Amino acid sequence: MTNTEARALELIERVRAKPARFRDAQVTMAHGAGGKATQTLIEGMLAPAFGMSELADAAPVGDLAVTTDSFVVKPIRFPGGSIGELAVNGTVNDLAVSGARPLALTLSLVLEEGLPAAELQAEVEAIARAAEYAGVAIVAGDTKVVERGKCDSMYVTTTGIGRLDPRADLSPSALVPGDRVLVSGAIGEHGTAIMLARGEFELDAPIESDTCSLWPAVDALLDAAGPSLRYIRDATRGGVATVLNELAAASGVAVSVREADVPIHPSVAGACEILGIDAMYVANEGRLVAFVAPDAAGEALRALRSVDGCEQAAEIGEVKTEPPGMVLVETAFGGRRVMDLLVGDPLPRIC
Amino acid sequence: MTNTEARALELIERVRAKPARFRDAQVTMAHGAGGKATQTLIEGMLAPAFGMSELADAAPVGDLAVTTDSFVVKPIRFPGGSIGELAVNGTVNDLAVSGARPLALTLSLVLEEGLPAAELQAEVEAIARAAEYAGVAIVAGDTKVVERGKCDSMYVTTTGIGRLDPRADLSPSALVPGDRVLVSGAIGEHGTAIMLARGEFELDAPIESDTCSLWPAVDALLDAAGPSLRYIRDATRGGVATVLNELAAASGVAVSVREADVPIHPSVAGACEILGIDAMYVANEGRLVAFVAPDAAGEALRALRSVDGCEQAAEIGEVKTEPPGMVLVETAFGGRRVMDLLVGDPLPRIC
């Protein structure tokens, strides 16, 4: 480690040791982007007020797990999916990665006055299809309408209820040095598809959102690795990089990622390069990151690859001892760099 | 009954016998107002797609009840409350009137870019206070941010989980002729407070929202009336009139209301008269309507009046046989008129 690197690490650790405080005068788009600003809002204002710990994707209530998410993605339809499908899969996946078999969803719609009935009907059907595919029932709902312009077509909030699977013994602080890091497929497709669908860039690539239910993948991992499965997260806002950072911090370990082993579609890699963003920070809506004890990692990876849509699953890195709380990337060219939490707001309204 | 009245009733019954179909080309504000248009959206599009029956305020999942609601009230602060308090009480009340003791809430925020942090902090604190008062834990949450103008300060979605109370045996089709109709307090205060707070009318009256948790009232009713308690509903969007209409239809009975017995604050009565609206259709956020067998009605009313905030509870009418599905009002002057479901949209974004 160079001196500059060491000083940078020391500074980052010092900043991290302080409890987050919300000091901004206003809410900004960055507070919704899933990076540091979001963390500050949650840890500095919401979690203390409600006495919550916010790291988990779903909270236990008896033998059930409960999770909620609002979806404000723009545009509401994009290659590979739409807001309705996303709202089902996103919430189903928060249950799945918490080790809970998804059972039921509630659905609340905020609709924009003037929304064409055909667009609403299409999303209602997308929701029904995705729910049926994921094996969850829509058990309760609500609808509100706001004036034209006070919402982008529709915002969708889903709350999921699942039953905690007895095979799962997952904890964000369970990572130990030697654990292997798996991803369930190629990264960055959802976020890249959304960015291209917005048409802000002069770029046209055949990239589809990866939105899908992750319960089959989690089910396979639980079967193959059982208690050797330390923790799972779906890599949504903030991407794989954010998941790795949050868990390195929660477990007080380092994570080392081998860049060359991270599966990525050439079109996504190309689009990200042109747009000047790192695919590791791009949102996925059907990809998980799993941490597995070394003796079970091979079996877990085989099980994962046998699941429909997870054929490209890969082992991308390893949990290390030093420096605690940090994620380091070994680049394809033999270099090493810190992969920190996002500070800014490259990709708002991605889900 | 006059000939005109008879023809009107026949027409209404004919319209009602048909399953609702969603035929509008676009979503309008009326679809969010809680009346006929909302019913058409739910029964004609949402319920068939999801295989739901939509009359109940909460759906059973095992021995739990689950309900969800989005809150888009404008302005977010108003005399007697704010959107955060409303979001807690509204969802707690949907559980309570379903005979479920509220246990836990999830909370999802859609925030407008530029929202002052102090306003967010105030709502976060209002949510925490209301949740503590109602005895529910906030167990999971989510936050999204949308661009300035794409939301009015904030939209709040809460999902509630409660445990079904073994004393409750409630059904919307359980009403039988002779049952008494109770309300838990003076009506129309929430909706009137919101209308005045919007400042669209040259009217200033000391009216505060009635927002509060209804679990203590439901608890008292269950204790006092047990299985003689047929059904309870909170009278939110569409007011007491909408509750009575929906239940008359669900049970195939008539409901007769004695206008003079309906408790109403003089300021609310005055404001409604000036605004040309009927307080029976105005939203409440802390008032329930209970249907009780005649032998238990007196005891139920005494129990209700002993609850903090329900001192003005009253018996306002009775379930009758004819004409099935209809609500009739006996006016203070000895007349009688039909009180039908709302068709238009007098009061959008009231909750």
Side-chain angles (χ1 to χ4, degrees), chain A residues 148-168:
Chain A
R148 206 179 287 267
K150 292 296 179 185
C151 150
D152 262 337
S153 300
M154 66 177 77
Y155 301 148
V156 182
T157 303
T158 42
T159 301
I161 299 174
R163 189 166 307 279
L164 290 165
D165 191 301
R167 294 170 298 175

Side-chain angles (χ1 to χ4, degrees), chain A residues 41-65:
Chain A
L41 171 61
I42 292 169
E43 294 180 5
M45 186 189 293
L46 303 176
F50 305 136
M52 297 161 69
S53 137
E54 186 63 20
L55 190 66
D57 277 309
V61 175
D63 64 339
L64 300 177

Side-chain angles (χ1 to χ4, degrees), chain A residues 242-266:
Chain A
T242 300
V243 170
L244 297 179
N245 267 281
E246 290 185 2
L247 293 173
S251 284
V253 296
V255 174
S256 171
V257 175
R258 297 180 302 272
E259 196 168 45
D261 292 343
V262 177
I264 182 165
H265 191 284

Side-chain angles (χ1 to χ4, degrees), chain B residues 17-43:
Chain B
K18 288 195 189 172
R21 281 188 56 188
F22 191 84
R23 297 168 183 278
D24 302 291
Q26 292 191 335
V27 172
T28 65
M29 294 306 292
H31 292 119
K36 276 189 179 166
T38 304
Q39 201 184 42
T40 308
L41 171 61
I42 292 169
E43 294 181 3

Side-chain angles (χ1 to χ4, degrees), chain A residues 3-23:
Chain A
N3 271 348
T4 316
E5 225 177 285
R7 274 200 301 275
L9 292 186
E10 196 192 303
L11 182 65
I12 289 170
E13 279 184 61
R14 201 132 38 91
V15 169
R16 286 198 170 166
K18 289 195 189 171
R21 281 189 57 187
F22 191 84
R23 297 168 183 279

Side-chain angles (χ1 to χ4, degrees), chain A:
Chain A
M1 200 180 298
T2 66
N3 271 348
T4 316
E5 225 177 285
R7 274 200 301 275
L9 292 186
E10 196 192 303
L11 182 65
I12 289 170
E13 279 184 61
R14 201 132 38 91
V15 169
R16 286 198 170 166
K18 289 195 189 171
R21 281 189 57 187
F22 191 84
R23 297 168 183 279
D24 302 291
Q26 293 191 335
V27 171
T28 64
M29 295 305 292
H31 292 119
K36 276 188 179 168
T38 304
Q39 201 184 41
T40 308
L41 171 61
I42 292 169
E43 294 180 5
M45 186 189 293
L46 303 176
F50 305 136
M52 297 161 69
S53 137
E54 186 63 20
L55 190 66
D57 277 309
V61 175
D63 64 339
L64 300 177
V66 182
T67 184
T68 194
D69 255 305
S70 287
F71 294 83
V72 299
V73 65
K74 186 169 82 167
I76 64 167
R77 313 193 74 167
F78 42 82
S82 67
I83 192 170
E85 194 178 350
L86 208 59
V88 172
N89 289 336
T91 293
V92 158
N93 290 348
D94 279 346
L95 292 172
V97 298
S98 304
R101 182 184 295 270
L103 294 178
L105 294 184
T106 68
L107 171 72
S108 202
L109 302 171
V110 175
L111 305 176
E112 184 183 8
E113 179 187 21
L115 177 70
E119 283 188 33
L120 177 58
Q121 182 76 50
E123 291 316 307
V124 165
E125 285 168 11
I127 289 166
R129 262 198 318 274
E132 193 187 346
Y133 187 82
V136 293
I138 309 279
V139 295
D142 184 44
T143 311
K144 293 292 185 329
V145 181
V146 294
E147 293 85 358
R148 206 179 287 267
K150 292 296 179 185
C151 150
D152 262 337
S153 300
M154 66 177 77
Y155 301 148
V156 182
T157 303
T158 42
T159 301
I161 299 174
R163 189 166 307 279
L164 290 165
D165 191 301
R167 294 170 298 175
D169 180 20
L170 308 170
S171 163
S173 57
L175 276 52
V176 293
D179 287 350
R180 301 298 195 264
V181 182
L182 312 182
V183 294
S184 66
I187 69 162
E189 291 169 13
H190 174 73
T192 312
I194 297 291
M195 278 187 288
L196 299 185
R198 287 192 190 153
E200 293 163 12
F201 308 105
E202 298 282 329
L203 201 63
D204 192 21
I207 299 169
E208 295 205 336
S209 167
D210 47 60
T211 179
C212 71
S213 162
L214 283 170
W215 174 249
V218 172
D219 195 26
L221 281 171
L222 287 171
D223 248 5
S228 296
L229 185 63
R230 312 285 196 202
Y231 201 62
I232 332 173
R233 279 291 286 277
D234 54 337
T236 56
R237 280 186 295 184
V240 172
T242 300
V243 170
L244 297 179
N245 267 281
E246 290 185 2
L247 293 173
S251 284
V253 296
V255 174
S256 171
V257 175
R258 297 180 302 272
E259 196 168 45
D261 292 343
V262 177
I264 182 165
H265 191 284
S267 303
V268 173
C272 286
E273 199 175 324
I274 292 169
L275 301 175
I277 56 179
D278 183 342
M280 294 291 280
Y281 291 93
V282 175
N284 312 272
E285 287 291 338
R287 300 289 180 255
L288 60 77
V289 182
F291 300 84
V292 192
D295 56 335
E299 191 50 45
L301 184 57
R302 268 187 297 279
L304 206 47
R305 284 182 172 162
S306 74
V307 174
D308 246 15
C310 299
E311 296 79 4
Q312 286 190 270
E315 185 188 309
I316 63 166
E318 195 176 326
V319 175
K320 307 270 193 186
T321 312
E322 294 288 338
M326 306 283 305
V327 180
L328 297 173
V329 180
E330 295 169 29
T331 67
F333 311 106
R336 209 166 70 136
R337 59 182 162 79
V338 174
M339 188 165 73
D340 200 7
L341 273 179
L342 275 186
V343 178
D345 170 28
L347 309 165
R349 299 189 56 187
I350 210 77
C351 62

Side-chain angles (χ1 to χ4, degrees), chain B residues 190-201 275 277 282 346-347 350:
Chain B
H190 174 72
T192 312
I194 297 291
M195 279 187 288
L196 299 185
R198 287 193 189 153
E200 294 163 10
F201 308 105
L275 301 174
I277 56 179
V282 175
L347 309 165
I350 209 77

